[in-house]
C-alpha cells in the first residue's frame, strides 16, 4: 500500500471495493497524528516506486511529492525547516561516529594485528556505528571480523579512509562525495532520483542473485544497456520467506528508464517507467571482453571509487582451467583466478555448462578474482550459477 | 586530523597501497595448457518440459502433496531408457542425487553421460561415478576389483555377472581365498543372478567353507539348481522319506531320523531354529532342497495330482504330513523358479468363499506354526513372483476383488510396475470399498505408498472421481486427492519424456 498525502492519492493491494480503503485511511490517520508514528525507512519497494514515478510522469501532476508509504516509508517533511534541522543533527552524529571509528581502528593497529583481539570486538564497534546512524560504517566494521593478515590490514585501512573521507565530505568533488555519503549509510530517495535524469535504454538482464540476509532477502539484478553499454545494478528486498516481487529473468531485455544513484563510478540504479514487458533477448550470448579488459575495467572503477570491491563484466571465450592455487578462467592469453568465495555449487555448474570448452561468462571481477554469476552454453542459453535451482528458466511444474 | 599519529599514518599508507594495488590489478598469464574437454555426447537433448520437470524433481520441493523423492527413480529410469542427454546445467544436480541415493545411482550416472564422467574426474566428491560406469578396459576392471571399496567391488561383480556370468565367476574364484568371511557372503549372493550349472563346482567347494553362513548360502544356491549333485543327494534322502502307497491312494512319510554330517554339509541345519517339531523340520529342509522333477518322474504324477494326495505317517498311519509336504514343495518351487509348480500350488485366484491354496495352510497369512519372523518362505507372494508378470497381476487383481486390501501388500509388492490396467482398476475399487467400510486410510499406508508409485497413470480420472465423491475434508478425500495429484504428475512426467509435443 502506498499513500501520497498531498494529492491525496493512494494505491493498495487489498481486494476491498471501498476507496479509499481502511488501510489507506488508517495509514493517513497514523501519519496525521505525527510523522514519527510512521517509521522512516530506506526506499519504497519497487512497485511503490514505480507507481510514484508513473504519477510523477503523468502530465496532471506538477510537483514531485514525497510519498507516505506503509509500512516502510516515513512521512513527507511537512516542515522544511524542521527537516533541515533533522538532517543537520544526523550529519553531526555520523561525523562523531566516524571520529570514534577512526580512534578504534587506530587503537587496533597500535595493539598490532597479531593480537588476537577479543571475540565480538568488531560486532561491538558495529553496534556503536548503528547508534551513530551510520549503517554503512557498521557493515564495514562487521566485515572486518572475517578478515585475516593482509586482507585485515587492507580492510581496516579502507574503512579508516572512508571515515576520514566523511570528515571532509564537503570538500570532496561531488560524485566522490556522493559515493562517500552512500557508503557511510545515507540513502537517496528513489522517487527523487527518478524525478531527475534518467537513462532510457533496452536493458539486457545479465544476472540475478538472491542473498538471504538477517531480516531481509536482497535480490541483486545486473543489467546492461544494449545501446549505451552501461552496466547497472538493481537491488530489491523482501521479508524472509518471501521473494522480492521484481523478477527479471536472465537473458531477457526490457525497454525502460533507469536512474543511477549519484556515485563516482555509477552502477546502482533504480528502475523507472518501463515500456512493455521483459521480452526474450537475443539468442546469442551477450558480447563480452577479454580477461585483460575485465581487470582494467575493475581498475578504473577502483580509481574512481576506492571502496569498489568488484565490477560487473562479461567475459567472452573464457575456459576453466586448474591453476596452482585453484581454478582459473582463461582466454588463452591471460587468466583470472576464481574468487575464493565462489560457492562450490556455482563452480561445478560453470564447469558443467562449459564442459571444458570456452564459454561466455558474466560475473564480478574483483581484487580477489572473478566471481561467476551467469554462463551461456553453446546453444546460447543462460544458466544462473548462484541460485539454488540450476536454470533461470526453471519454474514450478504444473501438476 | 591533528598531529601525525603513527597508527593513523600507517593506515593512510596501507589504504594508499591497497587502492594502488587494486586499481592496478593485472591478470595472470594463461596456463600453458587447457584440460581436455568433455567427450561429445551424441544423444538428443531432453525435451524442454522434461528438463524443467527434472529441475523440480532434483530440487525435491514438494509440488502439492506429491512425493517427489518417490518419483525421481521412475523419471530417471524412463529418461535413461529413452536415451536422452540432460542439459549440462542439470548434470551436477544429477551427480549429487546419485551420491545421496544409492537406488538412483546407476540411472543418474548413465544419464549424466560423458559430461558426468568428465566432471567426476575433477571432483573427488563424485569419484564414485568413475567406478559406477562400466569399466572401460580390463585394466580398469582389475583396478576396481583389486583396490575398490567393498561396496564398489560388489557393484562391479554384480554388473559383470549380469553381462558375463562366467567372467564374474572367474573373477570371484581368483580372489576367493583372500576375501574376508563377511565379504565372501555378499559376493556369493551376487551369483544368484545368472546361476547355472557352470557355478556348481565352485559352490560345491564352498559347502566346505570356514564360515557357516557362506556354507548355508552355497547350499541355498545349489538347491536352486535342480540338476546339481546336491539336488541328486537331496532327492535320494527325499525318496527315502516319502513314498507312494502301493495303491497310489496316498503318500507315506518317514521323516529323516537324524541330521548326518553329509546332510549338514548340504545345508540342513541340525536343530530347528523355531523349536517346531524336529521331525517336521528335517523333513521340510530336505524336501525344500529336492528337485521337484524327482516327484513327478518317480511317481509318474502331475503336480496337481501330487497335491491332491493325502499324506500319512508310514510308521503309524497317524500324523498327517500333508501340510509339511505342501509347504516344502512351495519353498522348492520358489527356489527353483518352477512356474508349473508355483501355479498349481497357488491354485486359481481365490474367491471370498474359498481359502487360498498356498503352501497347504488354510490361509497363507495365518500359518498355524509361523516361521521365524513370520515370513513364510513359500507364501503366496513368493510363489506369485515366480509367475509371468501378466499372470501375477491377474491373480492379484482377483485376490483384491475377493479379499480387499488387508492382506494384499506383499502380493502387490510382487507385481511388476507400473501395474496393468486391470490390476490398477482392482486396486482403485478395493480402495473405494475400504473407504466405504469406514476403515482409516493410514491402516493402509503401505498399500497407498505402493499405489502412488505403481498405479497406471491412466487410472487418474477414476481416482479423481473417488476424491470428488468422498465426503469433503475427510482423511479419505485427502488421500484420494493426493493420489490423483501424484498420478497426474506421473502421467505428465512420462508424457513429457515421450516427446516434446506433450501437454505441459
Amino acid at each position: 500500500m502506498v499513500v501520497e498525502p498531498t494529492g491525496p492519492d493512494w494505491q493498495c493491494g487489498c481486494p476491498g471495493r471501498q476507496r479509499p480503503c481502511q488501510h489507506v485511511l488508517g495509514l493517513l490517520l497514523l501519519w496525521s497524528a505525527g510523522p514519527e508514528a510512521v517509521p522512516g525507512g530506506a526506499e519504497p519497494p519497487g512497485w511503490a516506486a514505480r507507481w510514484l514515478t508513473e504519477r510523477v510522469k503523468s502530465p496532471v501532476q506538477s510537483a514531485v511529492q514525497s510519498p507516505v508509504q506503509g509500512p516502510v516509508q516515513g512521512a513527507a517533511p511537512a516542515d522544511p525547516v524542521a527537516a533541515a534541522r533533522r538532517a543537520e543533527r544526523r550529519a553531526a552524529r555520523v561525523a562523531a561516529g566516524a571520529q570514534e571509528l577512526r580512534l578504534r581502528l587506530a587503537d587496533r593497529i597500535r595493539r598490532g594485528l597479531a593480537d588476537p583481539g577479543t571475540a565480538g570486538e568488531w560486532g561491538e564497534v558495529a553496534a556503536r556505528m548503528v547508534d551513530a546512524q551510520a549503517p554503512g560504517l557498521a557493515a564495514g566494521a562487521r566485515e572486518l571480523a572475517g578478515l585475516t593478515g593482509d586482507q585485515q590490514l587492507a580492510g581496516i585501512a579502507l574503512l579508516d579512509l572512508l571515515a576520514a573521507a566523511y570528515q571532509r565530505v564537503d570538500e570532496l568533488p561531488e560524485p566522490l562525495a556522493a559515493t562517500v555519503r552512500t557508503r557511510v549509510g545515507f540513502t537517496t530517495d528513489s522517487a527523487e532520483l527518478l524525478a531527475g535524469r534518467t537513462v532510457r535504454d533496452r536493458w539486457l538482464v545479465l544476472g540475478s542473485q538472491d542473498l538471504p540476509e538477517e531480516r531481509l532477502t536482497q535480490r541483486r539484478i545486473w543489467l546492461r544497456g544494449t545501446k549505451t553499454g552501461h552496466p547497472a545494478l538493481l537491488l530489491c528486498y523482501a521479508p524472509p520467506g518471501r521473494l522480492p516481487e521484481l523478477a527479471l529473468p536472465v537473458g531477457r531485455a526490457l525497454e525502460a528508464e533507469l536512474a543511477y544513484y549519484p556515485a563516482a563510478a555509477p552502477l546502482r540504479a533504480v528502475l523507472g517507467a518501463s515500456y512493455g514487458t521483459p521480452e526474450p533477448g537475443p539468442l546469442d550470448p551477450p558480447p563480452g571482453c577479454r580477461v585483460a579488459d575485465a581487470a582494467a575495467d575493475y581498475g578504473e572503477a577502483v580509481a574512481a571509487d576506492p571502496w569498489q570491491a568488484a565490477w560487473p563484466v562479461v567475459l567472452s571465450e573464457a575456459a576453466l582451467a586448474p591453476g596452482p592455487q585453484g581454478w582459473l578462467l582463461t582466454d588463452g592469453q591471460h587468466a583470472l583466478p576464481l574468487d575464493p568465495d565462489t560457492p562450490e555449487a556455482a563452480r561445478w555448474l560453470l564447469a558443467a555448462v562449459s564442459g571444458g570448452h570456452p564459454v561466455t561468462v558474466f560475473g564480478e571481477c574483483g581484487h580477489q578474482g572473478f566471481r561467476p554469476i551467469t554462463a551461456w552454453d553453446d546453444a546460447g542459453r543462460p544458466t544462473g550459477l548462484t541460485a539454488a535451482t540450476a536454470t533461470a528458466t526453471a519454474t514450478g511444474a504444473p501438476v | 586530523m591533528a598531529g601525525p599519529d603513527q597508527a593513523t599514518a600507517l593506515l593512510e599508507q596501507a589504504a594508499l597501497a591497497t587502492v594502488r594495488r587494486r586499481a592496478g590489478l593485472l591478470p595472470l598469464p594463461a596456463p600453458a595448457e587447457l584440460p581436455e574437454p568433455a567427450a561429445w555426447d551424441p544423444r538428443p537433448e531432453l525435451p524442454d518440459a522434461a528438463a524443467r520437470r527434472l529441475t523440480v524433481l532434483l530440487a525435491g520441493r514438494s509440488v502439492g502433496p506429491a512425493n517427489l523423492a518417490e518419483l525421481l527413480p521412475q523419471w530417471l529410469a524412463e529418461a535413461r531408457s529413452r536415451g536422452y542427454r540432460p542439459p549440462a546445467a542439470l548434470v551436477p544436480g544429477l551427480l549429487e542425487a546419485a551420491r545421496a541415493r544409492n537406488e538412483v545411482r546407476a540411472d543418474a550416472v548413465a544419464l549424466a553421460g560423458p559430461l558426468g564422467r568428465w566432471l567426476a574426474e575433477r571432483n573427488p566428491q563424485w569419484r564414485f561415478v568413475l567406478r559406477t560406469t562400466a569399466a572401460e578396459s580390463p585394466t580398469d576392471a582389475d583396478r576396481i576389483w583389486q583396490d575398490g571399496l567393498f561396496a564398489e567391488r560388489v557393484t562391479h561383480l554384480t554388473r559383470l555377472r549380469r553381462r558375463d556370468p562366467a567372467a564374474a565367476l572367474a573373477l570371484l574364484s581368483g580372489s576367493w581365498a583372500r576375501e574376508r568371511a563377511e565379504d565372501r557372503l555378499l559376493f556369493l549372493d551376487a551369483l544368484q543372478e545368472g546361476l547355472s550349472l557352470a557355478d556348481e563346482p565352485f559352490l560345491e567347494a564352498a559347502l566346505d567353507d570356514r564360515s557357516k553362513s557362506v556354507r548355508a548360502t552355497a547350499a541355498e544356491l545349489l538347491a536352486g539348481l535342480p540338476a546339481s549333485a546336491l539336488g541328486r543327494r537331496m532327492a535320494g534322502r527325499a525318496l527315502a522319506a516319502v513314498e507312494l502307497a502301493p495303491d497310489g491312494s496316498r503318500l507315506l512319510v518317514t521323516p529323516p531320523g537324524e541330521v548326518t554330517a553329509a546332510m549338514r554339509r548340504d545345508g540342513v541345519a541340525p536343530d530347528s531354529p523355531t523349536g517346531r517339531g524336529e521331525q517336521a523340520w528335517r523333513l521340510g529342509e530336505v524336501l525344500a532342497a529336492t528337485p521337484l522333477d524327482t516327484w513327478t518322474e518317480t511317481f509318474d504324477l502331475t503336480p496337481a495330482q501330487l497335491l491332491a494326495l493325502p499324506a500319512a505317517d508310514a510308521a503309524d498311519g497317524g500324523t498327517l504330513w500333508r501340510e509339511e509336504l505342501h509347504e516344502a514343495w512351495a519353498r522348492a518351487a520358489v527356489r527353483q523358479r518352477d512356474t508349473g509348480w508355483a501355479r498349481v500350488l497357488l491354485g486359481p485366484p481365490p474367491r471370498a468363499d474359498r481359502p487360498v491354496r498356498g503352501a497347504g495352510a488354510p490361509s497363507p497369512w495365518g500359518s498355524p506354526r509361523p516361521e521365524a519372523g513370520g515370513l513364510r518362505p513359500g507364501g503366496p507372494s513368493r510363489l506369485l513372483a515366480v509367475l509371468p508378470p501378466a499372470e501375477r497381476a491377474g491373480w492379484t487383481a482377483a485376490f483384491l476383488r475377493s479379499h480387499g486390501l488387508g492382506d494384499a501388500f506383499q502380493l502387490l509388492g510382487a507385481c511388476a510396475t507400473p501395474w496393468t490396467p486391470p490390476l490398477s482398476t482392482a486396486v482403485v475399487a478395493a480402495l473405494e470399498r475400504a473407504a466405504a467400510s469406514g476403515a482409516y486410510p493410514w491402516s493402509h499406508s503401505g498399500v497407498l505408498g505402493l499405489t502412488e508409485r505403481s498405479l497406471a497413470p491412466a487410472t487418474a480420472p477414476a481416482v479423481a472421481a473417488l476424491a470428488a465423491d468422498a465426503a469433503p475434508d475427510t482423511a479419505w478425500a485427502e488421500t484420494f486427492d493426493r493420489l490423483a495429484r501424484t498420478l497426474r504428475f506421473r502421467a505428465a512426467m512420462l508424457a513429457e519424456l515421450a516427446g516434446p509435443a506433450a501437454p505441459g
Side-chain angles (χ1 to χ4, degrees):
Chain A
M1 161 177 70
V2 55
V3 180
E4 202 285 291
T6 48
D9 195 354
W10 56 81
Q11 175 106 356
C12 182
C14 79
R17 272 203 306 273
Q18 199 185 349
R19 289 283 180 253
C21 65
Q22 55 202 1
H23 311 112
V24 170
L25 290 174
L27 184 64
L28 276 167
L29 278 169
L30 264 179
W31 172 74
S32 63
E36 299 77 27
V38 180
E43 294 164 25
W47 62 271
R50 272 203 301 284
W51 177 79
L52 289 162
T53 6
E54 295 298 320
R55 291 184 62 265
V56 168
K57 297 229 177 302
S58 66
V60 263
Q61 286 293 332
S62 49
V64 178
Q65 309 291 356
S66 241
V68 182
Q69 200 206 351
V72 284
Q73 184 69 12
D79 174 358
V81 179
R85 228 186 9 252
R86 267 204 306 278
E88 217 168 297
R89 265 208 307 275
R90 179 178 175 195
R93 286 183 71 173
V94 175
Q99 177 63 24
E100 183 189 350
L101 179 64
R102 296 201 68 193
L103 291 173
R104 305 282 298 245
L105 294 175
D107 278 351
R108 186 73 190 81
I109 293 297
R110 278 189 210 94
R111 288 211 315 268
L113 289 181
D115 182 291
T118 53
E121 168 182 32
W122 294 120
E124 188 202 328
V125 174
R128 293 288 301 151
M129 292 305 110
V130 171
D131 291 344
Q133 292 187 299
L137 295 179
R142 264 193 298 272
E143 274 168 27
L144 292 179
L147 301 179
T148 52
D150 282 359
Q151 293 289 349
Q152 191 185 12
L153 178 60
I156 294 175
L158 285 176
L159 188 58
D160 181 67
L161 182 67
L162 180 58
Y166 182 71
Q167 289 177 315
R168 43 186 294 255
V169 69
D170 297 327
E171 308 161 37
L172 299 176
E174 190 35 46
L176 187 59
T179 292
V180 169
R181 283 196 197 94
T182 305
R183 292 201 177 272
V184 166
F186 287 90
T187 52
T188 316
D189 183 45
S190 52
E192 218 169 287
L193 280 178
L194 286 166
R197 192 174 154 269
T198 58
V199 183
R200 178 170 173 170
D201 200 336
R202 192 157 175 269
W203 299 96
L204 179 67
V205 185
L206 291 177
S208 170
Q209 181 178 16
D210 287 355
L211 296 167
E213 290 174 6
E214 269 174 51
R215 285 164 309 188
L216 287 173
T217 297
Q218 184 193 63
R219 172 167 293 173
R220 305 166 78 86
I221 299 174
W222 288 270
L223 309 171
R224 183 167 68 186
T226 47
K227 299 170 201 152
T228 57
H230 277 310
L233 170 63
L234 304 178
L235 301 183
C236 48
Y237 296 89
R242 300 242 306 274
L243 286 178
E245 44 85 54
L246 178 62
L248 294 172
V250 174
R252 303 216 154 204
L254 175 70
E255 183 80 24
E257 309 265 359
L258 287 194
Y260 281 92
Y261 284 78
L267 178 63
R268 196 182 155 196
V270 57
L271 181 61
S274 52
Y275 308 91
T277 53
E279 52 196 37
L283 292 175
D284 302 322
C289 63
R290 317 270 305 164
V291 166
D293 304 329
D297 279 0
Y298 169 67
E300 271 175 48
V302 174
D305 171 356
W307 301 279
Q308 190 73 43
W311 194 252
V313 284
V314 177
L315 289 179
S316 290
E317 301 280 311
L320 270 177
Q325 261 106 45
W327 291 43
L328 304 168
L329 268 174
T330 175
D331 57 10
Q333 204 173 358
H334 298 102
L336 281 170
L338 278 195
D339 185 323
D341 291 340
T342 305
E344 197 68 7
R347 211 169 295 191
W348 291 111
L349 212 43
L350 175 57
V353 171
S354 76
H357 300 278
V359 288
T360 298
V361 189
F362 166 75
E364 288 184 316
C365 181
H367 55 93
Q368 296 266 62
F370 188 91
R371 194 176 67 84
I373 295 167
T374 308
W376 283 260
D377 65 12
D378 48 8
R381 286 173 308 187
T383 294
L385 305 176
T386 54
T389 49
T391 48
T393 50
T395 49
V399 178
Chain B
M1 294 297 301
D5 163 16
Q6 277 186 323
T8 307
L10 170 72
L11 282 177
E12 283 171 2
Q13 288 296 316
L16 194 58
T18 302
V19 176
R20 183 187 295 141
R21 199 173 54 241
R22 291 184 184 182
L25 177 77
L26 288 175
L28 305 169
E33 52 185 278
L34 287 178
E36 193 67 29
W40 161 248
D41 190 338
R43 297 174 295 176
E45 189 167 272
L46 267 179
D48 280 352
R52 281 198 296 275
R53 179 79 59 179
L54 176 58
T55 308
V56 172
L57 286 168
L58 288 175
R61 281 192 305 264
S62 256
V63 174
N67 189 346
L68 300 184
E70 298 273 13
L71 298 177
L72 181 65
Q74 226 173 66
W75 189 97
L76 291 172
E78 181 73 11
R80 178 187 183 178
S81 71
R82 291 184 174 274
Y84 283 122
R85 163 175 60 97
L90 292 179
V91 171
L94 276 173
L95 297 183
E96 276 303 294
R99 187 164 70 104
R101 296 176 60 181
N102 252 325
E103 81 272 22
V104 303
R105 189 168 284 190
D107 285 333
V109 166
L111 207 57
L115 180 57
R117 272 204 303 282
W118 182 85
L119 286 168
E121 283 161 11
R122 285 153 182 76
N123 186 346
Q125 297 250 310
W126 294 332
R127 190 149 303 155
F128 68 86
V129 172
L130 307 176
R131 297 181 292 233
T132 312
T133 43
E136 304 284 307
S137 64
T139 53
D140 280 355
D142 272 359
R143 205 168 40 80
I144 294 175
W145 188 246
Q146 300 305 339
D147 314 330
L149 300 173
F150 172 66
E152 289 155 7
R153 300 179 68 212
V154 170
T155 307
H156 175 68
L157 182 68
T158 309
R159 294 167 66 105
L160 183 61
R161 178 76 178 180
R162 205 166 295 162
R163 229 178 33 238
D164 183 352
L169 180 67
L171 190 67
L172 184 56
S173 317
S175 63
W176 182 250
R178 294 192 304 277
E179 306 292 353
R180 299 181 317 165
E182 58 266 38
D183 295 358
R184 284 208 302 272
L185 183 60
L186 280 162
F187 289 142
L188 203 54
D189 263 343
L191 298 186
Q192 182 78 55
E193 194 166 6
L195 189 67
S196 74
L197 278 177
D199 305 310
E200 195 191 359
F202 176 75
L203 292 172
E204 184 71 35
L207 289 176
D208 299 316
D209 196 88
R210 296 191 299 279
S211 148
K212 186 175 159 192
S213 46
V214 169
R215 293 197 299 270
T217 306
E220 178 80 27
L221 287 168
L222 283 169
L225 289 170
S228 66
L230 180 134
R232 286 194 296 280
R233 295 195 292 271
M234 283 293 185
R237 294 172 193 135
L239 289 173
V242 181
E243 55 187 346
L244 189 62
D247 61 357
S249 65
R250 57 200 173 135
L251 294 168
L252 297 174
V253 178
T254 315
E258 57 170 338
V259 179
T260 61
M263 281 167 76
R264 203 173 305 176
R265 180 174 179 270
D266 284 345
V268 180
D271 305 310
S272 158
T274 56
R276 73 189 276 190
E278 294 294 335
Q279 286 193 325
W281 162 255
R282 289 195 293 271
L283 179 71
E285 286 295 280
V286 169
L287 264 53
T290 300
L292 287 162
D293 306 351
T294 310
W295 312 108
T296 46
E297 284 166 17
T298 309
F299 301 150
D300 197 19
L301 293 170
T302 63
Q305 290 168 321
L306 279 162
L307 282 168
L309 287 175
D313 195 273
D316 59 10
T319 320
L320 298 180
W321 290 104
R322 191 173 173 190
E323 196 183 305
E324 279 77 8
L325 285 182
H326 288 199
E327 194 171 306
W329 282 336
R331 284 167 61 195
V334 171
R335 269 182 183 173
Q336 296 164 33
R337 306 204 62 75
D338 189 312
T339 314
W341 272 86
R343 194 174 289 132
V344 175
L345 280 158
L346 269 173
R351 292 201 313 270
D353 55 347
R354 233 201 33 199
V356 181
R357 281 242 316 267
S363 127
W365 303 278
S367 170
R369 305 181 198 145
E371 302 255 328
L375 266 182
R376 299 169 44 80
S381 64
R382 303 283 307 269
L383 284 170
L384 203 56
V386 177
L387 299 183
E391 205 174 330
R392 244 183 284 165
W395 199 93
T396 307
F399 178 89
L400 281 167
R401 281 193 288 273
S402 56
H403 289 72
L405 296 171
D407 298 313
F409 178 67
Q410 287 188 325
L411 298 175
L412 286 168
C415 290
T417 58
W419 292 338
T420 58
L423 177 57
S424 299
T425 309
V427 170
V428 172
L431 282 170
E432 188 175 12
R433 285 200 306 276
S437 74
Y440 289 114
W442 42 91
S443 57
H444 296 299
S445 58
V447 170
L448 284 164
L450 277 179
T451 306
E452 284 202 5
R453 284 198 296 279
S454 321
L455 201 65
T459 326
V463 177
L466 283 184
D469 292 346
D473 297 331
T474 58
W476 278 107
E478 201 176 305
T479 301
F480 287 143
D481 190 51
R482 174 193 156 107
L483 186 56
R485 236 181 296 196
T486 305
L487 289 175
R488 277 201 300 274
F489 189 98
R490 267 179 58 213
M493 93 184 184
L494 296 173
E496 285 158 4
L497 284 167

